Amino acid sequence: MSAQTGTASIPPPPTSVRGAARARVAWARQFSDPNPVWMRELRQSARLTRTPIILAAVTGMMTLLICSVGGVASVSAEPARVGVGIFHTFFSLAFVVVTWVGPAVAAHTIAGERSGRTWEALQLTSLSPASIARGKFLAAYTYISLYVIMLAPVGVLPFLFGGITATEVLLAFVWLFLFAGLSVAFGLAVSSKFSSPAAAIIVTLLVALPASMFVFSAGGVGLSMVAHRAWPGIPEGPPVWLPGAYLRAEFGLPYLAFLVFLPLVLLALPAWLLYEVTVANMSAPSDDRSTRLRIWFLVSAPVLALTAIAVILGGKTDEWVYASTTFIWVFGCFAVFLFAGEPLGPSQRVLTHWERSGRGGLGRFLGPGLVRASVLLFLLTAFALSLSGAVGSLVNTHPNERDALVAFHGYALAFFAFVVGFMVWARSRAHGAGTPRVLLVVALFFAFVGPWIAMAIAGVLSSTPDHALVLAAPSPTFTIAMISAIKTDAPERGALLLGGTVCAAAWALIGAGLLTLGSARAKKRLDEDAARHARMQAALAAEDAENNSAGKDAGPPPQRAEQVPETAG
């Protein structure tokens, strides 16, 4: 029986069971022996009398608001247009509830345990950080799902007016639940970093509010215009356009690329990352915090590469090639900042765990280690950039377009080598991740902006301002001038290409040099730590030997005389 749930627990599947059988056993355990943290949180929420009151109040206010909007609009508009307006109004408000309430609820979970001094007791239950994080996520997600379920009857009001199909409403609710998962994962990641619930909630809302507004305006209203140009059947302007796009857009490769793969990837990968960050923040500093994040990157990079290929083949224009390549490059730079928190090498606790568990070479490669992380980061990002460039060259058959793509991808790859090398060099000389990240931000700022400032000054002072453009070649944004010169066959094409090629090669060489210096510095520090640990072990062994020899010289301890117990009489 499970002590937490009172149900019969199924033992974990043996290691010999693989494939579908292991998945069936794991799925059965979710129902017979669910996560104990999840069950505890649900029982606590069920005991609160304010929970049904809050749900009823939110549902009542939403019902009154939607009915008021429908009543006012039905006076001057036809029923079908009223139904469409109510549909967009309801799901816009539901999006606000999900993206504002969800992170706030999740932000109180882990920080509340720490402030209430129950975090140590939770750790003593022998549950892993991943199990605790999963239980906290399920608890917060269940709570915010109750809001969506309570609001579901209000979402069917557009059927009273028409203009909306049941499939559109169902798809809108599906995406609402997906956004709820991402919002809860974000709040949980912030909560795992703080010890005060108030601070966690404030930071969460300061980020969640503007982020949700940006997603609603750019992803809703903004992308509806782009979708209308691609598929005229999609209305231009309404924010909740994606559910209707599944029914009105023509099925094909662009449909799968832009309406299926891209939205799911942009939601699933950040949610997974936030969950792994939560697990890492909940682990001890000497634990293995790197393997799960490394696996996330190992999966995310190929997935983004395949998504970029689908977008390029679906768009079939060079703009989508440049956009996909830029997105992959930005993702690689984000991973550089993420891996800047890597330790130089595994701790003694991690090494001992590897030896006892028989961790293989691949598992050790995915473990803590700055140099290993940087090698994996550069190889996978370079592969994704090269793959998108190759597919883009196949789509664009014009020679000038291909030359422009080669110049763009080559410069992006060379500068990314510098970013990785600079991160390794800065991290190998610091004892934390804060300083290397700040230095990398400063280096990127001067690399992007500095050459253009020098070019502007030289253009003012020089008698030939056109030739001063080459001075901006060290900036990665100089590729825009290179692409324009290649496409238009400008007279200064040769000078611009030469300057860009030389600067790209210089960035790559500097990055390789910094990577070599950083690797040597990291190895030296690891060797010093290993030597220090060996000296400490030797000193402890000598102390133990001295204590043992002193005990033998002193002889056996004196025996105490036995006392005869007194007897009555």
Side-chain angles (χ1 to χ4, degrees):
M1 299 289 289
S2 172
Q4 293 83 5
T5 60
T7 58
S9 62
I10 297 178
T15 55
S16 58
V17 180
R18 293 292 185 268
R22 188 178 181 86
R24 285 196 299 270
V25 174
W27 180 256
R29 290 189 65 199
Q30 298 299 323
F31 294 94
S32 61
D33 190 13
N35 189 284
V37 178
W38 183 25
M39 293 295 100
R40 189 198 68 169
E41 296 286 338
L42 290 183
R43 290 192 178 105
Q44 288 180 351
S45 300
R47 296 189 187 103
L48 297 176
T49 57
R50 67 173 181 266
T51 301
I53 297 176
I54 294 175
L55 293 175
V58 172
T59 305
M61 290 188 296
M62 183 72 76
T63 304
L64 292 176
L65 180 60
I66 295 300
C67 291
S68 300
V69 172
V72 172
S74 61
V75 176
S76 58
E78 57 185 12
R81 295 178 62 89
V82 174
V84 173
I86 293 177
F87 172 80
H88 289 282
T89 302
F90 169 77
F91 281 102
S92 298
L93 295 175
F95 176 81
V96 171
V97 172
V98 163
T99 55
W100 291 7
V101 178
V105 170
H108 187 272
T109 54
I110 301 175
E113 296 280 358
R114 290 172 176 163
S115 65
R117 301 186 182 278
T118 56
W119 175 248
E120 290 77 10
L122 189 59
Q123 288 180 317
L124 292 176
T125 58
S126 72
L127 291 174
S128 64
S131 299
I132 299 175
R134 185 164 55 252
K136 292 293 185 179
F137 173 83
L138 291 174
Y141 187 73
T142 303
Y143 186 81
I144 195 61
S145 297
L146 290 177
Y147 283 87
V148 180
I149 293 173
M150 289 290 292
L151 293 175
V154 187
V156 301
L157 288 179
F159 289 115
L160 300 177
F161 299 90
I164 296 295
T165 63
T167 306
E168 290 183 71
V169 175
L170 181 62
L171 290 174
F173 272 109
V174 169
W175 278 103
L176 199 61
F177 279 106
L178 292 178
F179 277 112
L182 180 60
S183 302
V184 169
F186 170 72
L188 204 64
V190 176
S191 179
S192 64
K193 198 67 177 177
F194 288 87
S195 300
S196 171
I201 293 174
I202 291 174
V203 173
T204 300
L205 293 179
L206 287 178
V207 178
L209 266 62
S212 62
M213 294 178 183
F214 173 78
V215 171
F216 182 80
S217 58
V221 179
L223 288 183
S224 67
M225 302 177 183
V226 180
H228 177 74
R229 288 196 293 268
W231 298 285
I234 301 175
E236 182 180 11
V240 191
W241 59 271
L242 189 58
Y246 289 118
L247 304 178
R248 297 178 177 88
E250 182 181 357
F251 185 79
L253 184 58
Y255 182 98
L256 295 175
F258 294 100
L259 300 181
V260 180
F261 295 152
L262 190 59
L264 289 178
V265 167
L266 293 180
L267 278 178
L269 292 184
W272 183 13
L273 173 62
L274 292 171
Y275 173 75
E276 299 300 342
V277 169
T278 303
V279 175
N281 290 336
M282 294 169 60
S283 303
S286 58
D287 288 340
D288 184 2
R289 296 183 172 185
S290 305
T291 300
R292 298 178 67 97
L293 291 174
R294 206 77 59 81
I295 293 175
W296 170 83
F297 180 77
L298 193 64
V299 175
S300 300
V303 168
L304 286 179
L306 295 177
T307 305
I309 292 174
V311 169
I312 292 172
L313 295 178
K316 294 182 179 180
T317 57
D318 56 347
E319 287 80 7
W320 288 112
V321 180
Y322 295 129
S324 301
T325 304
T326 304
F327 183 77
I328 293 175
W329 189 87
V330 171
F331 168 77
C333 291
F334 170 77
V336 170
F337 280 93
L338 178 66
F339 287 164
E342 281 280 328
L344 299 182
S347 62
Q348 293 297 326
R349 182 177 180 179
V350 174
L351 292 175
T352 303
H353 176 70
W354 285 353
E355 293 176 359
R356 292 178 178 177
S357 60
R359 180 73 66 92
L362 179 60
R364 292 174 182 264
F365 181 79
L366 295 177
L370 177 65
V371 178
R372 291 193 294 266
S374 59
V375 170
L376 179 66
L377 171 62
F378 178 76
L379 291 179
L380 286 181
T381 308
F383 170 76
L385 289 174
S386 303
L387 193 60
S388 64
V391 175
S393 299
L394 294 176
V395 172
N396 295 278
T397 58
H398 195 275
N400 286 353
E401 294 289 347
R402 290 183 175 180
D403 294 341
L405 289 175
V406 170
F408 183 77
H409 286 79
Y411 205 119
L413 185 58
F415 189 77
F416 184 74
F418 164 76
V419 174
V420 174
F422 186 88
M423 183 270 293
V424 174
W425 174 81
R427 179 65 181 86
S428 64
R429 283 160 173 77
H431 295 282
T435 301
R437 287 169 177 165
V438 172
L439 292 177
L440 185 56
V441 170
V442 174
L444 290 177
F445 175 79
F446 281 104
F448 273 86
V449 180
W452 291 104
I453 297 176
M455 184 272 295
I457 296 174
V460 173
L461 300 179
S462 177
S463 58
T464 56
D466 295 337
H467 296 165
L469 184 61
V470 183
L471 294 177
S475 175
T477 55
F478 183 75
T479 53
I480 300 175
M482 295 172 60
I483 293 172
S484 177
I486 292 173
K487 288 183 177 181
T488 58
D489 285 329
E492 63 275 9
R493 169 178 175 172
L496 296 180
L497 286 179
L498 179 61
T501 303
V502 170
C503 291
W507 284 124
L509 291 176
I510 294 173
L514 292 175
L515 179 61
T516 303
L517 294 176
S519 302
R521 176 66 176 176
K523 185 178 183 304
K524 181 181 178 181
R525 290 181 59 180
L526 290 176
D527 292 340
E528 292 175 354
D529 292 341
R532 190 181 304 109
H533 178 74
R535 289 194 300 269
M536 183 182 65
Q537 294 293 331
L540 293 176
E543 183 179 355
D544 292 339
E546 183 179 355
N547 292 335
N548 292 334
S549 61
K552 292 180 180 179
D553 295 339
Q559 297 182 355
R560 298 178 59 185
E562 296 183 359
Q563 295 181 359
V564 179
E566 297 180 358
T567 58

